[in-house]
């Protein structure tokens, strides 16, 4: 199939070139032909200049331009161009002589029958060469631009795939934290035959559905993210029982507001995992509100004096920082504050801006 296709393309190219040179011959017959002669004589005389025109044109567009001009070998290009023009000028003079002799059969009157000077004929021929060379340059530039654009698209596609792989990797790192903590809680309650164990299993099932399936979507409703935060809090309340004091406040959220999945939940998980008060009790305060298109999320958890600063953040927040940088770039603001008693995280997110992976 490929050889047949190549033959067809070559035939089309040959036909196009043939038509173009026929137009050039007609052009020559009007501008460098013999005005006093009839049309057949004009065509015959003009046809003698066609071989040198074709040869000069093809030397420029298929040899000098691609071999010297495009690789920026300007000195060699100028040298060989001048050399080509000198040789072609000699052939133009010879072609004019033989064209005149054969067209008139060495029969002329006292007046020289050629109405145009040799210099004018050369200018006309070189004008054709220059136009063809200009189109050739445009073709090379277009082809180069198309290749560069294709290369840029491939680079962007590769970067996008790497970004998606990195996001999936970050999500996979986050998931085990939820499962590990929640399963430990259910295991402890099952040992005590706690009647709330089935309810916790159902809540865990909802969390698993969200983590394993909903997070594959580029966007989820903010309302769903908040709902699963509440489910996670309820699970942890059963685990901590009297050792937990939590305050959760969320203003009404319109259904149309969407964010990238698993952006807020890791903050909550981090607070439960690394938070601890000096009195042995964990205190957490969570506030979620919308101001126009901006989501403002704030979470504060108690920490003990013995807890190291690096431990209060953990791998969960490192991942969420990286995800925010990838997804929202400059459309968010994250502030983390840590002192001897409390760890605080404030996130301001522009919900009107789509994450980069869904643009």
């Amino acid at each position: 199939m490929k050889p047949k296709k190549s033959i067809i393309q070559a035939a089309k190219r040959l036909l196009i070139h043939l038509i173009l040179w026929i137009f050039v011959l007609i052009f020559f017959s009007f501008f460098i032909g013999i005005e006093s002669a009839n049309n057949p004589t004009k065509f015959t005389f003009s046809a003698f200049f066609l071989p040198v025109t074709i040869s000069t044109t093809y030397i420029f567009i298929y040899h000098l331009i691609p071999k010297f001009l495009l690789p920026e070998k300007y000195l060699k290009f100028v040298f060989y161009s001048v050399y080509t023009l000198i040789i072609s000028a000699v052939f133009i003079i010879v072609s004019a002589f033989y064209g005149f002799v054969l067209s008139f059969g060495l029969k002329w009157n006292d007046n020289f029958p050629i109405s145009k000077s040799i210099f004018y004929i050369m200018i006309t021929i070189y004008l054709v060469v220059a136009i063809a060379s200009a189109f050739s340059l445009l073709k090379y530039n277009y082809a180069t631009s198309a290749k560069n654009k294709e290369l840029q698209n491939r680079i962007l596609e590769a970067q996008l795939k790497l970004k998606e792989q990195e996001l999936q990797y970050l999500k996979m790192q986050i998931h085990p934290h939820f499962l590990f903590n929640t399963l430990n809680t259910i295991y402890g309650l099952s040992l005590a035959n706690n009647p709330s164990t089935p309810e916790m299993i159902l809540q865990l099932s909802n969390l698993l559905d969200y983590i394993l399936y909903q997070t594959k979507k580029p966007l989820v409703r903010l309302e769903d993210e908040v709902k699963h935060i509440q489910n996670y809090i309820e699970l942890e309340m059963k685990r901590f029982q009297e050792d937990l004091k939590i305050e959760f406040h969320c203003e009404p959220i319109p259904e149309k507001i969407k964010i990238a999945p698993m952006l807020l939940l890791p903050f909550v998980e981090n607070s439960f995992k690394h938070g601890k008060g000096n009195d042995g009790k964990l205190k957490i305060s969570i506030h979620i509100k919308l101001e126009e298109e901006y989501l403002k999320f704030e979470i504060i958890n108690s920490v003990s004096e013995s807890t190291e600063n690096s431990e209060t953040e953990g791998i969960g927040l490192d991942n969420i920082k990286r995800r925010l940088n990838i997804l929202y770039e400059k459309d968010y603001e994250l502030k983390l504050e840590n002192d001897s008693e409390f760890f605080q995280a404030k996130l301001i997110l522009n919900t009107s801006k789509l994450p980069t992976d869904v643009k």
Side-chain angles (χ1 to χ4, degrees):
M1 294 298 293
K2 288 184 178 180
K4 185 177 180 181
K5 186 177 181 181
S6 300
I7 293 173
I8 294 175
Q9 290 177 347
K12 288 182 178 179
R13 186 181 302 174
L14 180 62
L15 180 61
I16 292 173
H17 283 225
L18 181 62
I19 293 173
L20 290 176
W21 289 121
I22 290 174
F23 276 108
V24 171
L25 178 59
I26 296 172
F27 171 77
F28 281 173
S29 67
F30 280 100
F31 285 91
I32 61 177
I34 304 171
E35 293 179 358
S36 60
N38 54 29
N39 288 332
T41 304
K42 289 180 180 181
F43 276 100
T44 302
F45 180 74
S46 301
F48 278 90
F49 299 104
L50 203 59
V52 66
T53 307
I54 294 174
S55 301
T56 306
T57 301
Y58 286 159
I59 287 173
F60 269 92
I61 66 176
Y62 290 122
H63 183 71
L64 297 182
I65 290 176
K67 190 172 181 179
F68 299 111
L69 182 60
L70 295 179
E72 299 181 357
K73 299 177 181 179
Y74 299 121
L75 187 60
K76 289 185 176 180
F77 175 76
V78 172
F79 174 78
Y80 286 113
S81 296
V82 171
Y83 179 78
T84 302
L85 293 176
I86 293 173
I87 297 298
S88 63
V90 173
F91 278 100
I92 290 172
I93 296 173
V94 173
S95 299
F97 174 76
Y98 280 100
F100 165 72
V101 170
L102 295 179
S103 296
F104 288 88
L106 294 177
K107 297 177 181 179
W108 63 84
N109 298 323
D110 295 335
N111 296 327
F112 194 70
I114 300 179
S115 58
K116 307 296 182 182
S117 67
I118 293 296
F119 180 76
Y120 180 88
I121 294 174
M122 289 182 181
I123 294 298
T124 306
I125 291 174
Y126 291 146
L127 177 63
V128 173
V129 175
I131 293 173
S133 300
F135 275 105
S136 177
L137 279 174
L138 288 175
K139 180 182 177 182
Y140 281 118
N141 289 336
Y142 177 78
T144 302
S145 177
K147 288 181 180 179
N148 290 339
K149 188 174 182 180
E150 183 181 359
L151 181 60
Q152 289 177 354
N153 289 336
R154 289 183 179 179
I155 292 174
L156 290 175
E157 185 179 353
Q159 290 176 343
L160 181 60
K161 288 182 179 179
L162 288 175
K163 185 180 290 186
E164 290 176 352
Q165 291 175 357
E166 184 175 2
L167 286 173
Q168 291 299 324
Y169 174 72
L170 293 174
K171 288 179 183 180
M172 289 177 65
Q173 284 186 312
I174 294 172
H175 296 171
H177 294 158
F178 291 101
L179 297 177
F180 180 77
N181 290 340
T182 307
L183 288 173
N184 271 349
T185 302
I186 294 176
Y187 175 72
L189 293 176
S190 64
L191 290 178
N193 293 322
N194 193 305
S196 61
T197 302
E199 182 183 355
M200 289 192 68
I201 294 175
L202 180 60
Q203 290 174 327
L204 175 61
S205 175
N206 292 333
L207 278 174
L208 286 174
D209 176 74
Y210 182 71
I211 293 171
L212 298 178
Y213 299 105
Q214 301 302 318
T215 55
K216 293 181 179 179
K217 301 177 181 178
L219 291 173
V220 295
R221 294 192 306 170
L222 177 58
E223 187 178 13
D224 292 338
E225 180 87 358
V226 172
K227 179 181 177 182
H228 286 89
I229 288 176
Q230 292 173 317
N231 285 340
Y232 183 81
I233 291 174
E234 290 178 6
L235 288 171
E236 295 291 10
M237 287 177 64
K238 292 181 175 64
R239 180 166 71 95
F240 282 88
Q241 297 183 1
E242 300 297 330
D243 294 331
L244 174 64
K245 182 179 180 181
I246 187 165
E247 176 186 355
F248 181 84
H249 178 73
C250 179
E251 295 183 358
I253 300 172
E255 291 186 3
K256 65 179 183 179
I257 302 299
K258 294 184 177 182
I259 62 172
M262 296 288 288
L263 283 184
L264 305 183
L265 204 53
F267 288 104
V268 180
E269 190 269 345
N270 185 78
S271 295
F272 279 101
K273 183 177 181 181
H274 299 286
K276 186 178 181 181
N278 291 323
D279 56 358
K281 295 185 178 181
L282 174 60
K283 299 176 183 178
I284 299 177
S285 174
I286 302 173
H287 293 271
I288 304 174
K289 65 178 180 179
L290 283 170
E291 291 184 1
E292 296 180 352
E293 71 271 20
Y294 289 94
L295 165 66
K296 293 188 176 181
F297 173 82
E298 179 183 31
I299 183 167
I300 303 174
N301 63 268
S302 59
V303 295
S304 63
E305 295 180 354
S306 60
T307 303
E308 296 182 2
N309 293 344
S310 60
E311 292 180 356
T312 60
E313 295 190 18
I315 190 173
L317 291 187
D318 289 336
N319 289 343
I320 203 63
K321 289 178 190 176
R322 182 59 183 153
R323 288 188 65 211
L324 284 168
N325 287 331
I326 294 175
L327 292 171
Y328 288 92
E329 296 177 345
K330 298 180 180 180
D331 296 320
Y332 81 96
E333 180 181 350
L334 178 62
K335 292 183 179 180
L336 303 176
E337 298 181 9
N338 190 18
D339 57 30
S340 59
E341 295 183 359
F342 292 96
F343 175 78
Q344 182 182 42
K346 289 183 179 180
L347 174 64
I348 300 176
L349 187 68
N350 190 345
T351 59
S352 65
K353 302 293 185 179
L354 292 176
T356 55
D357 62 340
V358 294
K359 288 181 180 178

